[in-house]
């Protein structure tokens, strides 16, 4: 068999495998979409009879060290981070000595501001005042 014939056979095999993979992926997407639509219809037909049983024990609190770490890690993302009403954007590679006024042992509560699609837009931390 000539070299050109071998290359043609390999190319045809690759094309057939690629088309088969595309069709298989399209079929899987259709199946998942149908299952999701069926689940939405089923939940809509429940007419409020679905109740959640998972309850949290309260608000999740963060320490000042966790807040500081979060502010530094969120830099470079599109998420804005706010601590006690002041927004911070710090590049740890350029500004290593920038100080964020956070009490490392303090307790902070968080607020998540999301878009209509559920994307996180802003993360706010507020210091909890200890009552005496």
């Amino acid at each position: 068999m000539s070299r050109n014939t071998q290359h043609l056979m390999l190319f045809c095999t690759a094309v057939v495998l690629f088309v088969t993979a595309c069709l298989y992926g399209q079929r899987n997407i259709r199946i998942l979409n149908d299952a999701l639509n069926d689940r939405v219809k089923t939940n809509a037909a429940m007419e409020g009879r679905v109740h959640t049983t998972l309850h949290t024990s309260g608000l999740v609190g963060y320490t000042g060290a966790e807040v500081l770490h979060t502010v530094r890690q969120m830099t470079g993302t599109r998420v804005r981070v706010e601590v006690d009403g002041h927004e911070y954007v710090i590049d740890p590679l350029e500004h290593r000595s920038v100080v964020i006024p956070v009490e490392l042992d303090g307790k902070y509560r968080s607020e998540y501001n999301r878009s209509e699609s559920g994307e996180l837009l802003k993360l706010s931390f507020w210091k909890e005042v200890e009552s005496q």
Side-chain angles (χ1 to χ4, degrees):
M1 208 181 286
S2 72
R3 188 167 181 84
N4 289 337
T5 306
Q6 288 178 344
H7 284 298
L8 179 65
M9 289 175 61
L10 286 174
F11 178 73
C12 290
T13 304
V15 168
V16 167
L17 288 175
F18 177 75
V19 169
T20 304
C22 288
L23 292 174
Y24 181 72
Q26 184 181 12
R27 179 177 165 264
N28 281 342
I29 289 173
R30 189 177 331 114
I31 290 171
L32 290 173
N33 193 24
D34 291 342
L36 181 61
N37 287 336
D38 183 51
R39 178 59 55 196
V40 168
K41 289 176 186 175
T42 303
N43 283 346
M46 295 294 282
E47 298 176 359
R49 290 178 285 178
V50 177
H51 300 286
T52 59
T53 58
L54 176 64
H55 298 285
T56 58
S57 60
L59 295 174
V60 177
Y62 295 95
T63 65
E66 291 172 322
V67 170
L68 185 64
H69 178 73
T70 302
V71 170
R72 293 199 180 268
Q73 290 299 316
M74 295 304 266
T75 298
T77 65
R78 293 182 295 176
V79 178
R80 300 183 337 237
V81 179
E82 187 177 274
V83 179
D84 288 331
H86 299 287
E87 189 172 319
Y88 294 97
V89 177
I90 297 172
D91 187 357
L93 298 177
E94 292 182 14
H95 309 290
R96 294 177 190 224
S97 62
V98 173
V99 176
I100 301 170
V102 173
E103 292 181 24
L104 295 180
D105 292 332
K107 297 290 182 191
Y108 290 82
R109 63 179 170 83
S110 62
E111 292 178 4
Y112 301 94
N113 296 338
R114 299 183 181 274
S115 67
E116 293 176 359
S117 63
E119 179 183 6
L120 183 62
L121 299 175
K122 183 169 80 170
L123 177 58
S124 301
F125 292 102
W126 299 94
K127 181 159 180 18
E128 293 182 352
V129 179
E130 296 179 14
S131 60
Q132 295 181 4

